[in-house]
Amino acid sequence: MGKALDAEQFAAYARRQIHAALDILDRHHTDVLGLCACGRPQPCSVVATCHHAIAHYQAKLAVVGATQPLRLVARRPVAAPAAVPRLGSAWT
């Protein structure tokens, strides 16, 4: 099992996956007979898989791009609450 990627590494990986899928789509276009250039009937399963991969990684990039590191907020010490008399002890 590999190590986890940070945000920049994952963004680069996702962009490479999108470009690879687009390169594959360049070779799978509709020919004159209405078939895919690879000879499969339309819709070609390779085209569907590439479109799915592109949508998947574009959605992941949108999430990575939307997240921002939050600044660290130091906690202030909280004062102890004042002693509140109990109902039973206040009446006796």
Side-chain angles (χ1 to χ4, degrees), residues 40-51:
R40 293 184 179 107
Q42 291 289 357
C44 176
S45 60
V46 174
V47 172
T49 301
C50 288
H51 283 297

Side-chain angles (χ1 to χ4, degrees), residues 15-76:
R15 280 191 226 86
R16 284 193 310 267
Q17 294 297 316
I18 290 170
H19 288 294
L22 289 172
D23 288 342
I24 293 170
L25 285 176
D26 285 342
R27 295 186 301 271
H28 287 265
H29 52 82
T30 306
D31 67 1
V32 190
L33 300 174
L35 297 174
C36 182
C38 67
R40 293 184 179 107
Q42 291 289 357
C44 176
S45 60
V46 174
V47 172
T49 301
C50 288
H51 283 297
H52 177 73
I54 290 168
H56 172 78
Y57 284 110
Q58 284 176 338
K60 298 295 181 185
L61 281 174
V63 171
V64 170
T67 57
Q68 298 177 359
L70 299 175
R71 64 183 179 94
L72 183 62
V73 179
R75 298 182 95 191
R76 286 186 240 143

